[in-house]
Amino acid sequence: MEEIINSPEYKLLEPYLFVISLAFLGFLILLIVVCWQLRSSLIKIKAENRCIHPEQVWLLLLPFFNIYWNFVVARKFSDSLNNEFFDKKVAVEENPAFKNGNIFAWSFLALNFPLPGFVFFIIFILSSISLLLYSLKIREFNRLLEQDYTDFD
């Protein structure tokens, strides 16, 4: 451990460790917010229209398993929204939120490859932005689910 701390590579990285730690903490907090949003949206969807149980989205916080589970959640959440909006006869885009979820899943997959630092940094930024956009899309559909469409029947 002592030789790592005294190595020249560590000395170059040392001033940036706090910023790097904050970036990863921010990413984790955003991922927790997305899980919470997904769960609250799935709760508003009728049980017969759900393709995934609301509590299963918390599996996105498990390291390594979440690489695969991001793809599953993106597909099943989109299918659940499709089913719910079809029942309510609400016109929405085809495969709602799937594109944003899939982009995040692929960028997160790329983030887990051993890459040079600069490439990792670029992919981390892209993954963070795609997670933020996915969060905003989930929020948009969450608000749409809260609306009462019984007036249109």
Side-chain angles (χ1 to χ4, degrees):
M1 185 69 175
E2 187 70 31
E3 62 261 0
I4 293 174
I5 293 175
N6 291 330
S7 69
E9 293 86 11
Y10 184 81
K11 295 292 182 193
L12 286 173
L13 191 61
E14 194 172 25
Y16 304 106
L17 285 179
F18 181 71
V19 174
I20 292 169
S21 300
L22 280 180
F24 280 109
L25 182 64
F27 187 82
L28 180 63
I29 289 171
L30 187 56
L31 188 59
I32 291 169
V33 168
V34 166
C35 289
W36 179 76
Q37 288 177 324
L38 284 166
R39 182 185 171 276
S40 66
S41 295
L42 285 166
I43 287 172
K44 293 173 185 156
I45 295 174
K46 290 183 227 162
E48 63 267 13
N49 289 334
R50 287 187 210 140
C51 297
I52 187 171
H53 193 273
E55 301 305 322
Q56 289 178 323
V57 298
W58 294 109
L59 294 174
L60 288 174
L61 299 177
L62 291 177
F64 302 114
F65 179 72
N66 61 359
I67 298 169
Y68 160 75
W69 198 245
N70 280 319
F71 292 99
V72 172
V73 169
R75 167 53 52 205
K76 292 189 183 251
F77 180 66
S78 176
D79 291 344
S80 299
L81 287 175
N82 261 339
N83 295 342
E84 184 71 11
F85 290 133
F86 181 78
D87 276 359
K88 290 183 176 183
K89 295 175 179 50
V90 177
V92 292
E93 63 191 67
E94 186 179 342
N95 296 323
F98 178 68
K99 184 176 97 174
N100 294 85
N102 211 20
I103 290 171
F104 168 65
W106 281 105
S107 65
F108 190 77
L109 173 68
L111 195 61
N112 286 281
F113 284 114
L115 299 167
F118 180 72
V119 176
F120 180 84
F121 176 73
I122 297 296
I123 292 175
F124 180 78
I125 296 295
L126 292 175
S127 187
S128 299
I129 291 170
S130 65
L131 182 60
L132 180 64
L133 293 175
Y134 189 39
S135 173
L136 294 174
K137 188 58 95 168
I138 294 167
R139 187 173 177 213
E140 174 187 328
F141 285 113
N142 198 356
R143 287 185 178 161
L144 203 56
L145 287 168
E146 289 174 349
Q147 293 178 0
D148 186 27
Y149 291 100
T150 56
D151 301 335
F152 300 113
D153 289 337

